[in-house]
């Protein structure tokens, strides 16, 4: 283990230094561990005793945060999220190598995958774990573990971004993965046993892709520590890291909760720029003029770049007064692929409208706002191939928990489409605790009633 030392005067580390550490003592029973009253309450309780404002000012996308807890209640709660012993019952439900479970080990700085073909059999999995000292990586356990679903659903509401997770179970004296960095913000909860961690300076800060780094490129650790049950660790995307289970101890289990993949300003620009160009071209003749002959055959782009910079300045000027941006994919992709609201039972409250039918003299309020997105998009009329702006309302009430973050699993969008003339009325519903149907800003009573009835049918409003 490298000797601990403070940064030298030139800002370069002579050895490893501890990251920001917070030690807290026992503070109440299991009911006080996490606060699910609201998404912000949940996040604040997850990083307690650090305040949210402090976290985003000092740590988010900047540097690691380690919170070490000497609290048996927290350790017990964390342990309940996922244990090695859970694998037997999970395997009996039909888990498959590659899709649900990876078996791997770090050998000479490289990842060695030990997966078999087809369905995972628990006895074979346990044999590889015990005899080959292999790490078991369980993909997206929130599909099966209710409390992780409950946590991640609230975090998706809080961040407005997909939140995935993986569980890593590593036997004593072994390491599952070589040094690498990820393209996600990482929150780690230590569930069972102990895990020894080394973090290194990013070679690509806020990285946009996953990459393995060779030992001879990463230098000495900037942070080195051991996580114990109940401990919490955060580090930004791009942070190079590796972890191993110390020899002579029990196995280690931790869950990595991750978010903000492809959720940067650059991604948002790519998503909204096409709609901005579409709108501008409708009004600006220069944008509709043809490009020079044989432009696509040319190699040199200097002259074209100068012309494009002028177009970009025009777009920037237009953007200053824009109230609604056309979203190409990001909003829809988020709401289509996120978790449904956490619930007990069959979830019928999300698929079948309940309560009183809304009428013109009703007062209504929006429900499940955190699971609903209102956006403006382009709708193409199949009969005459014309495009027009429409309001789209997407929601995740009917999403399937079983396919969350599984990539190639088929998903479908759920929601409604309205004419752009309904925007003011929809903003009234979205922006007020309750609103009278007859006061909605639409020209006719019939339109008012049809609007609230459509929303009620999708379980998005209720009569109060």
């Amino acid at each position: 283990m490298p000797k601990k030392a403070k940064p030298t005067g030139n800002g370069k580390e002579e050895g490893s230094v501890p990251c920001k550490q917070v030690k807290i003592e026992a503070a109440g029973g299991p009911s006080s561990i996490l606060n699910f009253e609201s998404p912000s309450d949940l996040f604040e309780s997850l990083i307690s005793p650090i305040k949210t404002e402090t976290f985003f000012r000092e740590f988010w996308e900047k540097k690691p945060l380690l919170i070490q807890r000497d609290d048996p209640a927290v350790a017990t709660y964390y342990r309940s999220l996922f244990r090695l012993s859970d694998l037997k019952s999970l395997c009996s439900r039909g888990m498959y190598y590659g899709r649900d479970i990876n078996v791997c080990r770090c050998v000479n700085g490289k990842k060695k995958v030990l997966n078999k073909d087809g369905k995972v059999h628990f006895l074979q999995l346990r044999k590889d774990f015990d005899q080959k000292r292999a790490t078991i990586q369980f993909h997206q356990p929130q599909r099966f573990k209710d409390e992780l679903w409950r946590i991640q659903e609230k975090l998706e509401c809080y961040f407005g971004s997909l939140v995935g997770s993986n569980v890593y179970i590593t036997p004593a004296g072994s390491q599952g993965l070589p040094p690498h960095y990820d393209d996600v913000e990482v929150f780690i909860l230590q569930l069972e046993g102990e895990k020894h961690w080394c973090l290194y300076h990013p070679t690509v800060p806020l990285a946009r892709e996953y990459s393995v780094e060779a030992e001879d490129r990463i230098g000495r650790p900037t942070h080195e520590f051991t996580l114990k049950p109940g401990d919490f660790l955060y580090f930004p995307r791009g942070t190079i890291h590796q972890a191993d289970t110390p020899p002579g101890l029990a196995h280690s289990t931790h869950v990595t909760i991750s978010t903000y993949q492809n959720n940067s300003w650059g991604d948002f620009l790519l998503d909204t720029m096409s709609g901005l160009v579409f709108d501008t071209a409708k009004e600006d003749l220069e944008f509709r003029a043809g490009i020079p002959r044989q432009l696509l055959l040319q190699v040199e782009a200097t002259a074209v770049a100068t012309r494009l910079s002028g177009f970009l300045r025009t777009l920037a000027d237009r953007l200053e007064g824009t109230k609604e941006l056309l979203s190409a994919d990001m909003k829809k992709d988020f709401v289509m692929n996120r978790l449904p609201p956490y619930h007990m039972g069959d979830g019928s409250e999300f698929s079948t409208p309940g309560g009183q039918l809304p009428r013109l003299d009703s007062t209504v309020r929006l429900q499940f706002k955190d699971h609903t997105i209102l956006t403006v998009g382009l709708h193409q009329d199949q009969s005459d191939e014309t495009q027009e702006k429409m309001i789209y309302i997407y929601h995740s009430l009917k999403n399937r928990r079983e396919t969350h973050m599984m990539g190639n699993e088929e998903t479908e969008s759920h929601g409604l489409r309205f004419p752009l003339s309904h925007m003011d009325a929809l903003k009234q519903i979205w922006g007020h605790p309750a609103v009278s149907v007859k006061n909605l800003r639409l020209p006719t009573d019939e339109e008012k009633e049809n609007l609230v009835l459509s929303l009620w049918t999708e379980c998005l409003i209720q009569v109060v």
Side-chain angles (χ1 to χ4, degrees):
M1 183 179 295
K3 180 181 177 182
K4 293 184 178 180
K6 294 182 179 179
T8 58
N10 61 6
K12 295 181 179 178
E13 281 80 357
E14 292 178 332
S16 67
V17 297
C19 57
K20 171 69 176 181
Q21 296 185 42
V22 179
K23 294 200 174 210
I24 56 176
E25 305 298 324
S31 62
S32 66
I33 305 305
L34 294 179
N35 181 352
F36 290 92
E37 286 296 314
S38 72
S40 57
D41 287 332
L42 182 278
F43 185 72
E44 184 136 341
S45 64
L46 188 67
I47 63 171
S48 175
I50 298 294
K51 295 299 181 184
T52 303
E53 299 80 13
T54 302
F55 175 79
F56 285 102
R57 184 178 64 249
E58 297 184 13
F59 300 99
W60 177 255
E61 296 189 332
K62 296 182 183 73
K63 62 183 180 182
L65 169 65
L66 168 64
I67 301 176
Q68 295 179 307
R69 298 182 168 110
D70 184 16
D71 189 335
V74 177
T76 299
Y77 174 74
Y78 274 21
R79 198 174 297 118
S80 73
L81 297 177
F82 200 107
R83 315 172 195 223
L84 173 62
S85 58
D86 291 333
L87 287 173
K88 186 173 183 180
S89 62
L90 287 168
C91 287
S92 70
R93 298 172 66 170
M95 301 295 115
Y96 287 83
Y97 286 104
R99 185 191 74 179
D100 303 297
I101 289 175
N102 273 339
V103 180
C104 60
R105 186 172 182 188
C106 179
V107 179
N108 298 323
K110 295 185 178 180
K111 177 181 176 180
K112 183 178 182 180
V113 179
L114 305 173
N115 287 354
K116 306 293 188 292
D117 292 326
K119 188 178 288 189
V120 178
H121 297 283
F122 175 72
L123 291 179
Q124 180 63 55
L125 187 66
R126 190 64 203 246
K127 182 179 178 181
D128 289 339
F129 181 79
D130 292 331
Q131 297 181 8
K132 296 183 180 179
R133 320 307 295 158
T135 287
I136 299 169
Q137 179 187 16
F138 194 97
H139 298 150
Q140 310 305 334
Q142 71 279 6
R143 295 176 293 148
F144 309 102
K145 302 293 286 183
D146 287 351
E147 196 68 3
L148 284 173
W149 171 22
R150 191 181 181 200
I151 292 169
Q152 289 174 235
E153 179 255 318
K154 277 285 190 288
L155 289 177
E156 286 187 332
C157 293
Y158 183 73
F159 285 108
S161 177
L162 294 175
V163 175
S165 68
N166 286 311
V167 165
Y168 297 87
I169 308 174
T170 303
S174 186
Q175 179 170 334
L177 300 173
H180 67 279
Y181 59 79
D182 297 299
D183 58 348
V184 287
E185 300 294 302
V186 172
F187 302 91
I188 289 168
L189 312 182
Q190 184 67 24
L191 311 182
E192 295 182 304
E194 299 182 6
K195 201 70 174 277
H196 167 249
W197 286 82
C198 290
L199 308 183
Y200 306 81
H201 269 310
T203 51
V204 184
L206 302 183
R208 290 180 52 82
E209 57 188 19
Y210 168 94
S211 180
V212 173
E213 289 282 26
E215 290 270 9
D216 58 1
R217 288 194 67 225
I218 60 179
R220 305 181 76 175
T222 56
H223 312 96
E224 190 166 2
F225 48 84
T226 298
L227 293 182
K228 298 180 180 180
D231 288 352
F232 169 95
L233 172 65
Y234 158 80
F235 52 82
R237 54 195 188 278
T239 302
I240 301 169
H241 56 281
Q242 62 178 326
D244 64 277
T245 303
L249 299 174
H251 68 272
S252 162
T253 304
H254 76 264
V255 61
T256 295
I257 297 173
S258 58
T259 190
Y260 258 63
Q261 185 178 49
N262 300 328
N263 211 48
S264 67
W265 277 114
D267 295 303
F268 190 69
L269 273 170
L270 286 171
D271 185 64
T272 55
M273 191 60 70
S274 60
L276 186 61
V277 172
F278 177 86
D279 280 350
T280 307
K282 276 188 170 183
E283 301 176 13
D284 193 318
L285 182 63
E286 283 196 53
F287 277 70
R288 301 199 302 272
I291 60 176
R293 289 181 302 102
Q294 300 186 346
L295 174 63
L296 302 182
L297 301 175
Q298 295 177 14
V299 177
E300 182 61 51
T302 305
V304 177
T306 302
R307 187 73 188 275
L308 286 177
S309 67
F311 285 128
L312 288 174
R313 279 189 285 271
T314 300
L315 291 174
D317 291 340
R318 182 183 178 89
L319 195 57
E320 291 292 333
T322 300
K323 291 184 178 179
E324 277 102 24
L325 289 170
L326 289 171
S327 174
D329 297 305
M330 283 182 74
K331 286 188 173 185
K332 184 178 179 181
D333 285 349
F334 168 50
V335 80
M336 279 179 60
N337 293 291
R338 63 180 297 193
L339 283 163
Y342 174 79
H343 60 267
M344 309 292 284
D346 61 3
S348 58
E349 64 268 38
F350 308 122
S351 57
T352 306
Q356 187 179 345
L357 192 73
R359 301 190 184 281
L360 189 62
D361 59 354
S362 300
T363 298
V364 298
R365 73 171 180 87
L366 184 68
Q367 57 181 359
F368 307 117
K369 185 176 181 179
D370 286 337
H371 282 267
T372 309
I373 280 177
L374 189 154
T375 187
V376 177
L378 293 174
H379 172 66
Q380 182 159 330
D381 192 307
Q382 299 299 325
S383 60
D384 59 8
E385 297 186 356
T386 59
Q387 285 186 321
E388 62 175 329
K389 284 186 182 179
M390 299 287 284
I391 301 167
Y392 289 87
I393 296 174
Y394 299 112
H395 64 79
S396 56
L397 305 188
K398 300 173 186 175
N399 285 7
R400 294 178 58 229
R401 167 194 181 190
E402 296 78 13
T403 61
H404 184 244
M405 299 297 289
M406 292 306 289
N408 56 356
E409 299 283 350
E410 295 229 354
T411 57
E412 60 178 313
S413 60
H414 305 284
L416 301 163
R417 186 178 73 233
F418 295 104
L420 205 58
S421 58
H422 284 48
M423 180 61 82
D424 286 344
L426 288 166
K427 284 183 175 180
Q428 284 178 271
I429 297 172
W430 255 251
H432 295 85
V435 62
S436 171
V437 175
K438 62 187 175 187
N439 290 334
L440 290 174
R441 290 195 282 271
L442 284 169
T444 68
D445 290 346
E446 183 182 9
E447 287 178 294
K448 296 172 184 178
E449 285 193 304
N450 286 341
L451 172 60
V452 295
L453 186 60
S454 296
L455 294 171
W456 179 81
T457 302
E458 286 289 307
C459 305
L460 297 179
I461 61 169
Q462 63 179 187
V463 177
V464 294

